[in-house]
Amino acid sequence: TAFLPCSTPHPAYSSFFPPPHLSRWTDTGSVRRLQFGGKGETPEPREMHVAVSFGSHMVLHGGRAASGLCSDIWSFSYDSATWQKIGNTPFARCAHCAVAHGSHVVIFGGFDGAAFDQQLYAISTAD
């Protein structure tokens, strides 16, 4: 059995992406789901990315989209339910991990399209 990182998304994953015309919170018992889209530019749908929360924002990096590996960084505001593209990193990857530490997103490892690596990166979220 071979492990293929960043493989084609399983058909069941398509249900995780909310309809693009919705932009509201809905309460479903103990889960509060945000359905978003339609408010400006949004990240390309992807898998195997990282997302970490900083107060009223979530920062998203990398992953694999239909167009290939991603290097982009996005910020999502919980307050306004809008996305803002922050920029790109010099490294595209998927299957990595990340944590919020102080004002940084610390990223470790991942698959760069050719191999898994053990690099450690810190992306500042300070203005």
Side-chain angles (χ1 to χ4, degrees):
T1 302
F3 175 72
L4 301 174
C6 304
S7 61
T8 303
H10 188 279
Y13 292 167
S14 63
S15 65
F16 289 106
F17 297 107
H21 65 284
L22 298 175
S23 183
R24 60 186 158 82
W25 288 100
T26 49
D27 290 314
T28 56
S30 62
V31 176
R32 193 171 184 216
R33 177 180 173 191
L34 175 63
Q35 296 174 312
F36 58 91
K39 284 191 174 182
E41 188 179 12
T42 61
E44 183 178 11
R46 62 194 68 206
E47 64 179 352
M48 303 180 81
H49 54 282
V50 295
V52 295
S53 191
F54 285 93
S56 65
H57 287 82
M58 174 182 67
V59 175
L60 176 138
H61 174 262
R64 179 172 168 226
S67 61
L69 292 181
C70 304
S71 65
D72 52 350
I73 305 169
W74 290 80
S75 175
F76 180 77
S77 168
Y78 299 124
D79 297 331
S80 64
T82 57
W83 288 98
Q84 177 183 5
K85 186 173 182 181
I86 304 300
N88 290 292
T89 61
F91 51 94
R93 65 193 52 248
C94 66
H96 48 318
C97 61
V99 296
H101 180 70
S103 63
H104 292 82
V105 175
V106 180
I107 296 172
F108 175 75
F111 184 73
D112 66 7
F116 283 95
D117 72 24
Q118 296 177 315
Q119 297 296 313
L120 186 65
Y121 302 94
I123 301 169
S124 176
T125 61
D127 292 332

